[in-house]
Amino acid sequence: MDSRYLKDKEGLKSSTPEVDDDRRAFLTAGLVGGAVAAGALVAGAAHAQQVAQAPALSDKPWWPHPKWGKDDQAGASNHMTPAKVLDTVKLIKDGKVYRIGRMYESGMPKFGERAFTLRIPGGPTGGPFGTNKLIYNDEYLATEIGQTGTQFDGLAHIGIQMGKDGDKNEMRYYNGVTEQEMGGAYGMRKLGIENVKPFFTRGHLFDIEALKGNMMEAGQEITVADLRAALQKQNMQEADIKEGDAVFFNTGWGKLWMKNNDKFNGGEPGIGLEVAKWCVDKGIALTGADQWATEVVPNPNKDLAFVVHSELICKNGIFNHENLDFTALIADRKYQFAYIFSPAPIKGATGSNGGPIAVT
Ligand code: UVW
């Protein structure tokens, strides 16, 4: 998350005045909108300041992790055991492989000022070598490599500021790791994506778009009742969702991808704290969706921003896979599959791009 947006959310002046996009508009609206609507601009700003100064969510430490212990850096990927793989394989019946990640290209929707720039200078980049005259091409890619396009959020991505602004000893991540211990200009010194075990687990897809009969709207929250109704519609059992499984939500929002990027970026339907807690209770290892944060934005509680990220990733070590595409699975009515993804083990990275697959 970009600190410029946090500053915007607090009603403070942006450090980079040129930053002015839809994200800022909805984040600001989300946090101070109620007061502004009441005509109390000044009071609204004061309220936003109070929100910013208070501990963001809870002043109760969430560490050490009760199951994985105080030194753990792998979070819910610890569920990836030989037993889990063998159980997952039972879902593979017809041998069909579905790509559930999107293509990476410069025009794809991106959060805030994130960028994706690929260049292949030269053409060919090098050669010819040897009497066989070999020539070759390399690409140069400038991007937030784990945080653009289809992206797997790691444990160094999201933390909670528990103390005063700037106090890195009280900026806490998974297992209580502090910004002071973790942060590093050349990569995170703790909780980097290289600590995550490759995922091979049972996946369950909730088609909420089909349940509702149309694409959900930005700010519309998926409830546990929706999940249960979707399970019934899809002829699935809640009891069949086991510890260490992955759950995915289709909202329909993905239909906007590369078609209406402004609307796609300007908010989204998704899960809120109720479903996040359901995931924690079930011991889910990963959530994912066809939109950019899995969670509802803006949150219906106007004081909260990306609270599902903090609940799942930061407090519970549960991973999140964003900007997925379930179109082919849904066309074939495949709601249960083997979800397979190995994050690129870039030492010290906050997340991963890559090509997740579902196998049925
Ligand atoms: C943030 O970084 C806030 O969101 P995401 O994980 O969706 O990129």
Side-chain angles (χ1 to χ4, degrees):
M1 205 181 307
D2 187 322
S3 61
R4 288 171 297 186
Y5 294 99
L6 291 176
K7 286 202 164 83
D8 290 338
K9 281 188 288 178
E10 294 163 19
L12 303 177
K13 217 171 173 329
S14 172
S15 57
T16 47
E18 74 275 14
V19 172
D20 179 21
D21 66 4
D22 291 345
R23 307 286 174 127
R24 183 168 64 181
F26 74 69
L27 287 173
T28 306
L31 283 169
V32 300
V36 171
L41 252 175
V42 176
H47 167 68
Q49 289 279 10
Q50 276 168 21
V51 170
Q53 293 308 318
L57 279 174
S58 148
D59 45 14
K60 278 191 280 167
W62 54 86
W63 61 92
H65 191 279
K67 195 173 175 93
W68 315 120
K70 68 178 177 48
D71 297 322
D72 177 62
Q73 300 190 57
S77 71
N78 284 304
H79 285 294
M80 302 304 118
T81 61
K84 176 53 85 179
V85 171
L86 294 177
D87 197 25
T88 300
V89 164
K90 292 179 197 152
L91 290 177
I92 301 179
K93 301 270 197 307
D94 53 18
K96 202 164 167 190
V97 178
Y98 296 78
R99 287 179 203 264
I100 56 169
R102 290 195 178 272
M103 191 163 68
Y104 294 88
E105 51 191 315
S106 62
M108 63 189 174
K110 294 176 281 299
F111 182 82
E113 295 293 298
R114 288 175 188 164
F116 186 91
T117 307
L118 183 140
R119 296 287 182 268
I120 304 181
T125 305
F129 289 160
T131 54
N132 52 314
K133 303 279 186 198
L134 175 136
I135 55 173
Y136 68 91
N137 289 305
D138 296 345
E139 62 286 283
Y140 173 83
L141 182 63
T143 187
E144 288 80 0
I145 198 158
Q147 300 299 337
T148 52
T150 294
Q151 61 198 263
F152 177 100
D153 284 348
L155 302 178
H157 180 45
I158 295 293
I160 300 176
Q161 178 175 310
M162 306 283 286
K164 294 207 169 87
D165 286 357
D167 181 357
K168 294 189 178 186
N169 288 307
E170 285 306 333
M171 294 178 187
R172 298 278 184 171
Y173 293 81
Y174 172 69
N175 238 340
V177 170
T178 67
E179 181 69 36
Q180 188 67 30
E181 297 169 295
M182 183 183 85
Y186 301 103
M188 298 304 190
R189 289 173 291 133
K190 282 192 162 187
L191 303 182
I193 201 76
E194 72 279 10
N195 294 292
V196 179
K197 299 175 184 173
F199 270 74
F200 193 114
T201 193
R202 305 168 80 247
H204 312 270
L205 172 62
F206 295 85
D207 188 359
I208 309 298
E209 178 188 23
L211 179 74
K212 302 282 181 193
N214 47 5
M215 179 199 289
M216 296 178 73
E217 288 303 322
Q220 191 179 357
E221 181 172 337
I222 298 169
T223 64
V224 171
D226 290 335
L227 299 190
R228 293 192 172 129
L231 285 173
Q232 196 174 22
K233 187 170 189 299
Q234 296 170 195
N235 206 14
M236 288 157 65
Q237 307 300 321
E238 186 169 346
D240 193 33
I241 299 174
K242 303 180 190 171
E243 209 180 43
D245 287 1
V247 291
F248 300 95
F249 310 101
N250 184 62
T251 65
W253 204 243
K255 290 196 166 78
L256 300 170
W257 182 267
M258 296 287 287
K259 300 224 163 44
N260 187 343
N261 286 356
D262 287 346
K263 182 167 177 186
F264 185 85
N265 283 335
E268 57 184 355
I271 65 171
L273 271 181
E274 187 202 18
V275 170
K277 287 182 174 144
W278 178 90
C279 292
V280 172
D281 289 348
K282 290 219 166 314
I284 294 302
L286 176 139
T287 58
D290 65 332
Q291 36 82 311
W292 52 269
T294 303
E295 67 179 287
V296 59
V297 178
N299 194 289
N301 178 341
K302 303 291 179 216
D303 284 342
L304 300 177
F306 299 107
V307 68
V308 171
H309 271 56
S310 38
E311 182 68 23
L312 295 183
I313 300 173
C314 177
K315 292 185 166 181
N316 289 287
I318 296 172
F319 295 90
N320 185 28
H321 215 157
E322 301 163 339
N323 292 328
L324 297 172
D325 180 5
F326 307 117
T327 312
L329 282 170
I330 289 170
D332 287 352
R333 297 177 181 275
K334 295 291 183 188
Y335 305 112
Q336 289 185 298
F337 41 81
Y339 160 79
I340 302 169
F341 183 69
S342 184
I346 299 176
K347 193 172 178 192
T350 68
S352 175
N353 62 6
I357 55 172
V359 183
T360 61

